[in-house]
Amino acid sequence: MTDQVKIQQVLKAAEKIVQDFGQHKTADYFAGFDPNATFIFYTHTERLNSRAEYQDLWAKWESEDGFRVHSCSSANQKVQLLSDVAIFTHDVTSEIEFGGEISTLAERETIVFHPQGGNWVAVHEHLSPAAN
């Protein structure tokens, strides 16, 4: 398989994660991540050490804070291939609802992918605010 084919597969996997997040398709969104994936969010004080920890936090946001994703878009995408790891970086703009208020967030994100069973699965996500 050529590097260009791998890059296209990673871009497709990343697009699905972004699309599912933007449509608040929770089960589909989380299916794009390995169960042992880790997550670092600037809005959360601790690293999340598994998909289950993130799912629990997401459910808490929904039940306690009225969390809902209204949209998400990706721009300025780049994929770097390193043997059996792919690093996807992009600029992401999301409309997020908390407590009845919708905010537009401009952020930068890195998602690390690893091939599993013929698919590229996210194994790490790091989110930071966009530079002003």
Side-chain angles (χ1 to χ4, degrees), residues 21-97:
F21 178 81
Q23 295 175 5
H24 203 91
K25 292 183 174 179
T26 307
D28 293 336
Y29 169 67
F30 283 111
F33 293 92
D34 183 85
N36 294 312
T38 56
F39 305 85
I40 296 177
F41 303 130
Y42 67 99
T43 56
H44 190 65
T45 57
E46 302 167 348
R47 179 186 59 233
L48 301 170
N49 291 310
S50 69
R51 181 177 68 193
E53 283 186 24
Y54 183 17
Q55 288 174 295
D56 290 346
L57 181 62
W58 179 291
K60 181 179 175 184
W61 288 340
E62 286 178 324
S63 67
E64 295 179 10
D65 302 317
F67 173 68
R68 178 120 185 112
V69 182
H70 290 272
S71 68
C72 186
S73 63
S74 172
N76 197 23
Q77 301 171 340
K78 180 176 176 75
V79 175
Q80 297 167 271
L81 291 176
L82 305 167
S83 185
D84 64 347
V85 171
I87 301 168
F88 171 77
T89 55
H90 66 142
D91 299 325
V92 61
T93 303
S94 304
E95 286 192 353
I96 307 292
E97 181 175 345

